[in-house]
Amino acid sequence: MNILVINAGSSSLKYQLIDMANESVIAKGLCERIAIEGSRLVHKAKGETFTFEKDMPNHTVAIKMVLDALVDKKCGVIKDMSEISAVGHRVVHGAEDYSSSVLIDEKVLESCRVNSELAPLHNPANIMGIKACMEVMPNTPMVAVFDTAFHATMPEKAFLYGMSYDDYKNYRIRKYGFHGTSHMFVSQEAAKFLGKDIADTKIITCHLGNGSSITAVKGGKSVDTTMGFTPLDGLPMGTRSGSIDPAIVEYWMQKTGKSVADAMKHLNKECGMLGLSGNSSDFRDLCDGNALDNPRNKMAVDIFAYAVKRYIGSYTAVLNGVDAIVFTAGVGENTEYVRQQACSELDYLGIKLDENLNNNCPRGQIADIATADSKVRILVIPTNEELVIARETKALANL
Ligand code: AMP
């Protein structure tokens, strides 16, 4: 049985076709520049990469191209559409409406639309992806898997800001948290690796990528996380500032004479590693080879790793101890320097990194990089958000 996983952005659409018999990816790809000149589909299947350069004026055309590629004689992997049992869609914001994944119907689509005000950059694109699939595959069950759902278990003391309670009640202003599928997946993998019942674990999951967040997971449930009302909160990231004093926004606008929209663009697109280094938002450009010899690169990465360390300390207090710290996603899985800095001088908390294991960590598999006598395990675990979406879809579509 095959499940198609769709992650639709405003001008892109990523997909994976997963054979659930052995949870293997049989085809995957990316539609780029949807509704922009120069659109193309890069499709990977049968160990080869196929590129189709064709106009994609909207998401429906993009989905049709993906489905055509999947059944194509040369690059296809299935005979016809009947071999796709269900479609799982990543939806960024479920607000307080959804604490778990859901089978999509008109009512679900409508609440995703209403929640677009909370995620204006993401939900409208996710909805376009869902509607495009519904148009092309009207009889195939579709499931929405929300980035926010895993964090629905946070207690009020963690998710409410110190603002007026009316702001929460009237405008839904609260911490929602994101990257939920990743935090859920790696915390479950960590419990399995530790040979423990997840109900008895305390785990801090560090999803460090272009966007980054850290979650305190107690007994398999999110109890606090660093991203907030939006994914701008928490750690400094590739191009996002992370948490700042909110009064800075007005001061910056006065100084620069710029608008609220400019301020939001600045904080989302021009800050973080890019703004600090003045060089790049990509950790490879900042850390690989002798890139760290550039003092601005080193300063940026040190600020990032210091923020990770602060949250590890803070969440160790939240959890009253910790069994394992997990590093995942592009930076967490690949950047030794960040892991080393984030875990440095934490021996008081029983967290001791083995430098040699850290520097020789195998790619693409689970590794324990703590010293033998470290009280806390330090794990590197490859994340797999698509697999979580496929599993949830299989369960909800009753397959
Ligand atoms: P993600 O958002 O999880 O895809 O992570 C993307 C970021 O991870 C990139 O911007 C890079 O900074 C970083 N990254 C990905 N691969 C590597 C690698 N092999 N070495 C160092 N950093 C990497």
Side-chain angles (χ1 to χ4, degrees), residues 160-174:
L160 277 185
Y161 292 112
M163 295 173 67
S164 149
Y165 192 66
D166 288 347
D167 293 329
Y168 166 56
K169 281 291 161 202
N170 295 339
Y171 311 121
R172 303 196 286 167
I173 295 172
R174 52 159 284 178

mmCIF file with all atom_site columns, all heavy atoms in Angstrom, residues 160-174:
data_model
loop_
_atom_site.group_PDB
_atom_site.id
_atom_site.type_symbol
_atom_site.label_atom_id
_atom_site.label_alt_id
_atom_site.label_comp_id
_atom_site.label_asym_id
_atom_site.label_entity_id
_atom_site.label_seq_id
_atom_site.pdbx_PDB_ins_code
_atom_site.Cartn_x
_atom_site.Cartn_y
_atom_site.Cartn_z
_atom_site.occupancy
_atom_site.B_iso_or_equiv
_atom_site.pdbx_formal_charge
_atom_site.auth_seq_id
_atom_site.auth_comp_id
_atom_site.auth_asym_id
_atom_site.auth_atom_id
_atom_site.pdbx_PDB_model_num
ATOM 1   N N   . LEU A 1 160 ? 0.784   30.349 27.827 1.00 0.00 ? 160 LEU A N   1
ATOM 2   C CA  . LEU A 1 160 ? 0.288   31.734 27.897 1.00 0.00 ? 160 LEU A CA  1
ATOM 3   C C   . LEU A 1 160 ? 1.438   32.719 28.038 1.00 0.00 ? 160 LEU A C   1
ATOM 4   O O   . LEU A 1 160 ? 2.393   32.474 28.785 1.00 0.00 ? 160 LEU A O   1
ATOM 5   C CB  . LEU A 1 160 ? -0.655  31.904 29.090 1.00 0.00 ? 160 LEU A CB  1
ATOM 6   C CG  . LEU A 1 160 ? -2.104  31.478 28.878 1.00 0.00 ? 160 LEU A CG  1
ATOM 7   C CD1 . LEU A 1 160 ? -2.922  31.831 30.121 1.00 0.00 ? 160 LEU A CD1 1
ATOM 8   C CD2 . LEU A 1 160 ? -2.719  32.123 27.645 1.00 0.00 ? 160 LEU A CD2 1
ATOM 9   N N   . TYR A 1 161 ? 1.371   33.827 27.309 1.00 0.00 ? 161 TYR A N   1
ATOM 10  C CA  . TYR A 1 161 ? 2.339   34.905 27.495 1.00 0.00 ? 161 TYR A CA  1
ATOM 11  C C   . TYR A 1 161 ? 1.891   35.762 28.680 1.00 0.00 ? 161 TYR A C   1
ATOM 12  O O   . TYR A 1 161 ? 0.723   35.730 29.067 1.00 0.00 ? 161 TYR A O   1
ATOM 13  C CB  . TYR A 1 161 ? 2.414   35.782 26.239 1.00 0.00 ? 161 TYR A CB  1
ATOM 14  C CG  . TYR A 1 161 ? 3.007   35.075 25.031 1.00 0.00 ? 161 TYR A CG  1
ATOM 15  C CD1 . TYR A 1 161 ? 2.225   34.772 23.919 1.00 0.00 ? 161 TYR A CD1 1
ATOM 16  C CD2 . TYR A 1 161 ? 4.352   34.725 24.994 1.00 0.00 ? 161 TYR A CD2 1
ATOM 17  C CE1 . TYR A 1 161 ? 2.771   34.136 22.813 1.00 0.00 ? 161 TYR A CE1 1
ATOM 18  C CE2 . TYR A 1 161 ? 4.907   34.087 23.896 1.00 0.00 ? 161 TYR A CE2 1
ATOM 19  C CZ  . TYR A 1 161 ? 4.109   33.794 22.803 1.00 0.00 ? 161 TYR A CZ  1
ATOM 20  O OH  . TYR A 1 161 ? 4.651   33.161 21.720 1.00 0.00 ? 161 TYR A OH  1
ATOM 21  N N   . GLY A 1 162 ? 2.820   36.577 29.170 1.00 0.00 ? 162 GLY A N   1
ATOM 22  C CA  . GLY A 1 162 ? 2.446   37.490 30.258 1.00 0.00 ? 162 GLY A CA  1
ATOM 23  C C   . GLY A 1 162 ? 1.730   38.714 29.732 1.00 0.00 ? 162 GLY A C   1
ATOM 24  O O   . GLY A 1 162 ? 2.018   39.845 30.139 1.00 0.00 ? 162 GLY A O   1
ATOM 25  N N   . MET A 1 163 ? 0.795   38.487 28.812 1.00 0.00 ? 163 MET A N   1
ATOM 26  C CA  . MET A 1 163 ? -0.018  39.601 28.293 1.00 0.00 ? 163 MET A CA  1
ATOM 27  C C   . MET A 1 163 ? -1.364  39.563 29.002 1.00 0.00 ? 163 MET A C   1
ATOM 28  O O   . MET A 1 163 ? -1.557  38.796 29.929 1.00 0.00 ? 163 MET A O   1
ATOM 29  C CB  . MET A 1 163 ? -0.209  39.438 26.770 1.00 0.00 ? 163 MET A CB  1
ATOM 30  C CG  . MET A 1 163 ? 1.082   39.562 25.982 1.00 0.00 ? 163 MET A CG  1
ATOM 31  S SD  . MET A 1 163 ? 0.862   39.179 24.228 1.00 0.00 ? 163 MET A SD  1
ATOM 32  C CE  . MET A 1 163 ? -0.172  40.529 23.664 1.00 0.00 ? 163 MET A CE  1
ATOM 33  N N   . SER A 1 164 ? -2.277  40.378 28.522 1.00 0.00 ? 164 SER A N   1
ATOM 34  C CA  . SER A 1 164 ? -3.609  40.349 29.117 1.00 0.00 ? 164 SER A CA  1
ATOM 35  C C   . SER A 1 164 ? -4.305  39.036 28.728 1.00 0.00 ? 164 SER A C   1
ATOM 36  O O   . SER A 1 164 ? -4.165  38.574 27.584 1.00 0.00 ? 164 SER A O   1
ATOM 37  C CB  . SER A 1 164 ? -4.405  41.545 28.592 1.00 0.00 ? 164 SER A CB  1
ATOM 38  O OG  . SER A 1 164 ? -5.769  41.218 28.532 1.00 0.00 ? 164 SER A OG  1
ATOM 39  N N   . TYR A 1 165 ? -5.044  38.463 29.667 1.00 0.00 ? 165 TYR A N   1
ATOM 40  C CA  . TYR A 1 165 ? -5.766  37.212 29.381 1.00 0.00 ? 165 TYR A CA  1
ATOM 41  C C   . TYR A 1 165 ? -6.777  37.431 28.260 1.00 0.00 ? 165 TYR A C   1
ATOM 42  O O   . TYR A 1 165 ? -7.074  36.520 27.484 1.00 0.00 ? 165 TYR A O   1
ATOM 43  C CB  . TYR A 1 165 ? -6.452  36.720 30.664 1.00 0.00 ? 165 TYR A CB  1
ATOM 44  C CG  . TYR A 1 165 ? -6.974  35.302 30.566 1.00 0.00 ? 165 TYR A CG  1
ATOM 45  C CD1 . TYR A 1 165 ? -6.104  34.229 30.432 1.00 0.00 ? 165 TYR A CD1 1
ATOM 46  C CD2 . TYR A 1 165 ? -8.343  35.042 30.611 1.00 0.00 ? 165 TYR A CD2 1
ATOM 47  C CE1 . TYR A 1 165 ? -6.571  32.920 30.335 1.00 0.00 ? 165 TYR A CE1 1
ATOM 48  C CE2 . TYR A 1 165 ? -8.819  33.738 30.523 1.00 0.00 ? 165 TYR A CE2 1
ATOM 49  C CZ  . TYR A 1 165 ? -7.932  32.686 30.383 1.00 0.00 ? 165 TYR A CZ  1
ATOM 50  O OH  . TYR A 1 165 ? -8.397  31.394 30.282 1.00 0.00 ? 165 TYR A OH  1
ATOM 51  N N   . ASP A 1 166 ? -7.294  38.674 28.160 1.00 0.00 ? 166 ASP A N   1
ATOM 52  C CA  . ASP A 1 166 ? -8.244  38.991 27.088 1.00 0.00 ? 166 ASP A CA  1
ATOM 53  C C   . ASP A 1 166 ? -7.608  38.848 25.710 1.00 0.00 ? 166 ASP A C   1
ATOM 54  O O   . ASP A 1 166 ? -8.282  38.525 24.738 1.00 0.00 ? 166 ASP A O   1
ATOM 55  C CB  . ASP A 1 166 ? -8.763  40.438 27.242 1.00 0.00 ? 166 ASP A CB  1
ATOM 56  C CG  . ASP A 1 166 ? -9.707  40.561 28.430 1.00 0.00 ? 166 ASP A CG  1
ATOM 57  O OD1 . ASP A 1 166 ? -10.137 39.510 28.945 1.00 0.00 ? 166 ASP A OD1 1
ATOM 58  O OD2 . ASP A 1 166 ? -9.986  41.698 28.851 1.00 0.00 ? 166 ASP A OD2 1
ATOM 59  N N   . ASP A 1 167 ? -6.300  39.121 25.620 1.00 0.00 ? 167 ASP A N   1
ATOM 60  C CA  . ASP A 1 167 ? -5.617  38.977 24.331 1.00 0.00 ? 167 ASP A CA  1
ATOM 61  C C   . ASP A 1 167 ? -5.658  37.521 23.867 1.00 0.00 ? 167 ASP A C   1
ATOM 62  O O   . ASP A 1 167 ? -5.753  37.234 22.676 1.00 0.00 ? 167 ASP A O   1
ATOM 63  C CB  . ASP A 1 167 ? -4.157  39.453 24.420 1.00 0.00 ? 167 ASP A CB  1
ATOM 64  C CG  . ASP A 1 167 ? -4.073  40.951 24.661 1.00 0.00 ? 167 ASP A CG  1
ATOM 65  O OD1 . ASP A 1 167 ? -4.974  41.674 24.186 1.00 0.00 ? 167 ASP A OD1 1
ATOM 66  O OD2 . ASP A 1 167 ? -3.116  41.392 25.332 1.00 0.00 ? 167 ASP A OD2 1
ATOM 67  N N   . TYR A 1 168 ? -5.571  36.633 24.846 1.00 0.00 ? 168 TYR A N   1
ATOM 68  C CA  . TYR A 1 168 ? -5.676  35.199 24.525 1.00 0.00 ? 168 TYR A CA  1
ATOM 69  C C   . TYR A 1 168 ? -7.116  34.854 24.144 1.00 0.00 ? 168 TYR A C   1
ATOM 70  O O   . TYR A 1 168 ? -7.374  34.255 23.093 1.00 0.00 ? 168 TYR A O   1
ATOM 71  C CB  . TYR A 1 168 ? -5.205  34.375 25.727 1.00 0.00 ? 168 TYR A CB  1
ATOM 72  C CG  . TYR A 1 168 ? -5.556  32.908 25.660 1.00 0.00 ? 168 TYR A CG  1
ATOM 73  C CD1 . TYR A 1 168 ? -5.170  32.122 24.579 1.00 0.00 ? 168 TYR A CD1 1
ATOM 74  C CD2 . TYR A 1 168 ? -6.280  32.293 26.686 1.00 0.00 ? 168 TYR A CD2 1
ATOM 75  C CE1 . TYR A 1 168 ? -5.495  30.767 24.512 1.00 0.00 ? 168 TYR A CE1 1
ATOM 76  C CE2 . TYR A 1 168 ? -6.611  30.948 26.638 1.00 0.00 ? 168 TYR A CE2 1
ATOM 77  C CZ  . TYR A 1 168 ? -6.212  30.194 25.544 1.00 0.00 ? 168 TYR A CZ  1
ATOM 78  O OH  . TYR A 1 168 ? -6.534  28.867 25.491 1.00 0.00 ? 168 TYR A OH  1
ATOM 79  N N   . LYS A 1 169 ? -8.062  35.264 24.965 1.00 0.00 ? 169 LYS A N   1
ATOM 80  C CA  . LYS A 1 169 ? -9.455  34.896 24.744 1.00 0.00 ? 169 LYS A CA  1
ATOM 81  C C   . LYS A 1 169 ? -10.011 35.532 23.472 1.00 0.00 ? 169 LYS A C   1
ATOM 82  O O   . LYS A 1 169 ? -10.725 34.901 22.701 1.00 0.00 ? 169 LYS A O   1
ATOM 83  C CB  . LYS A 1 169 ? -10.316 35.320 25.961 1.00 0.00 ? 169 LYS A CB  1
ATOM 84  C CG  . LYS A 1 169 ? -10.189 34.351 27.113 1.00 0.00 ? 169 LYS A CG  1
ATOM 85  C CD  . LYS A 1 169 ? -10.847 33.022 26.734 1.00 0.00 ? 169 LYS A CD  1
ATOM 86  C CE  . LYS A 1 169 ? -10.430 31.857 27.573 1.00 0.00 ? 169 LYS A CE  1
ATOM 87  N NZ  . LYS A 1 169 ? -10.622 30.556 26.935 1.00 0.00 ? 169 LYS A NZ  1
ATOM 88  N N   . ASN A 1 170 ? -9.665  36.823 23.246 1.00 0.00 ? 170 ASN A N   1
ATOM 89  C CA  . ASN A 1 170 ? -10.263 37.530 22.099 1.00 0.00 ? 170 ASN A CA  1
ATOM 90  C C   . ASN A 1 170 ? -9.539  37.280 20.786 1.00 0.00 ? 170 ASN A C   1
ATOM 91  O O   . ASN A 1 170 ? -10.157 37.244 19.737 1.00 0.00 ? 170 ASN A O   1
ATOM 92  C CB  . ASN A 1 170 ? -10.280 39.045 22.352 1.00 0.00 ? 170 ASN A CB  1
ATOM 93  C CG  . ASN A 1 170 ? -11.177 39.404 23.515 1.00 0.00 ? 170 ASN A CG  1
ATOM 94  O OD1 . ASN A 1 170 ? -12.068 38.627 23.874 1.00 0.00 ? 170 ASN A OD1 1
ATOM 95  N ND2 . ASN A 1 170 ? -10.941 40.553 24.124 1.00 0.00 ? 170 ASN A ND2 1
ATOM 96  N N   . TYR A 1 171 ? -8.202  37.146 20.872 1.00 0.00 ? 171 TYR A N   1
ATOM 97  C CA  . TYR A 1 171 ? -7.419  37.101 19.614 1.00 0.00 ? 171 TYR A CA  1
ATOM 98  C C   . TYR A 1 171 ? -6.604  35.822 19.449 1.00 0.00 ? 171 TYR A C   1
ATOM 99  O O   . TYR A 1 171 ? -5.795  35.719 18.541 1.00 0.00 ? 171 TYR A O   1
ATOM 100 C CB  . TYR A 1 171 ? -6.480  38.320 19.536 1.00 0.00 ? 171 TYR A CB  1
ATOM 101 C CG  . TYR A 1 171 ? -7.170  39.634 19.816 1.00 0.00 ? 171 TYR A CG  1
ATOM 102 C CD1 . TYR A 1 171 ? -6.749  40.452 20.865 1.00 0.00 ? 171 TYR A CD1 1
ATOM 103 C CD2 . TYR A 1 171 ? -8.263  40.048 19.042 1.00 0.00 ? 171 TYR A CD2 1
ATOM 104 C CE1 . TYR A 1 171 ? -7.395  41.649 21.130 1.00 0.00 ? 171 TYR A CE1 1
ATOM 105 C CE2 . TYR A 1 171 ? -8.912  41.239 19.309 1.00 0.00 ? 171 TYR A CE2 1
ATOM 106 C CZ  . TYR A 1 171 ? -8.473  42.035 20.361 1.00 0.00 ? 171 TYR A CZ  1
ATOM 107 O OH  . TYR A 1 171 ? -9.120  43.215 20.624 1.00 0.00 ? 171 TYR A OH  1
ATOM 108 N N   . ARG A 1 172 ? -6.762  34.882 20.348 1.00 0.00 ? 172 ARG A N   1
ATOM 109 C CA  . ARG A 1 172 ? -6.052  33.597 20.285 1.00 0.00 ? 172 ARG A CA  1
ATOM 110 C C   . ARG A 1 172 ? -4.528  33.762 20.359 1.00 0.00 ? 172 ARG A C   1
ATOM 111 O O   . ARG A 1 172 ? -3.780  32.979 19.791 1.00 0.00 ? 172 ARG A O   1
ATOM 112 C CB  . ARG A 1 172 ? -6.442  32.827 19.014 1.00 0.00 ? 172 ARG A CB  1
ATOM 113 C CG  . ARG A 1 172 ? -7.944  32.572 18.901 1.00 0.00 ? 172 ARG A CG  1
ATOM 114 C CD  . ARG A 1 172 ? -8.268  31.523 17.895 1.00 0.00 ? 172 ARG A CD  1
ATOM 115 N NE  . ARG A 1 172 ? -8.131  31.964 16.518 1.00 0.00 ? 172 ARG A NE  1
ATOM 116 C CZ  . ARG A 1 172 ? -8.132  31.160 15.472 1.00 0.00 ? 172 ARG A CZ  1
ATOM 117 N NH1 . ARG A 1 172 ? -8.255  29.861 15.656 1.00 0.00 ? 172 ARG A NH1 1
ATOM 118 N NH2 . ARG A 1 172 ? -8.030  31.628 14.262 1.00 0.00 ? 172 ARG A NH2 1
ATOM 119 N N   . ILE A 1 173 ? -4.067  34.821 21.071 1.00 0.00 ? 173 ILE A N   1
ATOM 120 C CA  . ILE A 1 173 ? -2.620  35.038 21.202 1.00 0.00 ? 173 ILE A CA  1
ATOM 121 C C   . ILE A 1 173 ? -2.081  34.141 22.313 1.00 0.00 ? 173 ILE A C   1
ATOM 122 O O   . ILE A 1 173 ? -2.441  34.286 23.493 1.00 0.00 ? 173 ILE A O   1
ATOM 123 C CB  . ILE A 1 173 ? -2.312  36.525 21.499 1.00 0.00 ? 173 ILE A CB  1
ATOM 124 C CG1 . ILE A 1 173 ? -2.736  37.387 20.301 1.00 0.00 ? 173 ILE A CG1 1
ATOM 125 C CG2 . ILE A 1 173 ? -0.812  36.704 21.777 1.00 0.00 ? 173 ILE A CG2 1
ATOM 126 C CD1 . ILE A 1 173 ? -2.648  38.888 20.553 1.00 0.00 ? 173 ILE A CD1 1
ATOM 127 N N   . ARG A 1 174 ? -1.241  33.178 21.933 1.00 0.00 ? 174 ARG A N   1
ATOM 128 C CA  . ARG A 1 174 ? -0.634  32.234 22.864 1.00 0.00 ? 174 ARG A CA  1
ATOM 129 C C   . ARG A 1 174 ? 0.536   31.565 22.151 1.00 0.00 ? 174 ARG A C   1
ATOM 130 O O   . ARG A 1 174 ? 0.759   31.775 20.965 1.00 0.00 ? 174 ARG A O   1
ATOM 131 C CB  . ARG A 1 174 ? -1.637  31.156 23.316 1.00 0.00 ? 174 ARG A CB  1
ATOM 132 C CG  . ARG A 1 174 ? -2.347  30.442 22.177 1.00 0.00 ? 174 ARG A CG  1
ATOM 133 C CD  . ARG A 1 174 ? -2.917  29.096 22.581 1.00 0.00 ? 174 ARG A CD  1
ATOM 134 N NE  . ARG A 1 174 ? -1.854  28.102 22.672 1.00 0.00 ? 174 ARG A NE  1
ATOM 135 C CZ  . ARG A 1 174 ? -2.043  26.835 23.045 1.00 0.00 ? 174 ARG A CZ  1
ATOM 136 N NH1 . ARG A 1 174 ? -3.235  26.414 23.374 1.00 0.00 ? 174 ARG A NH1 1
ATOM 137 N NH2 . ARG A 1 174 ? -1.028  25.986 23.087 1.00 0.00 ? 174 ARG A NH2 1
#
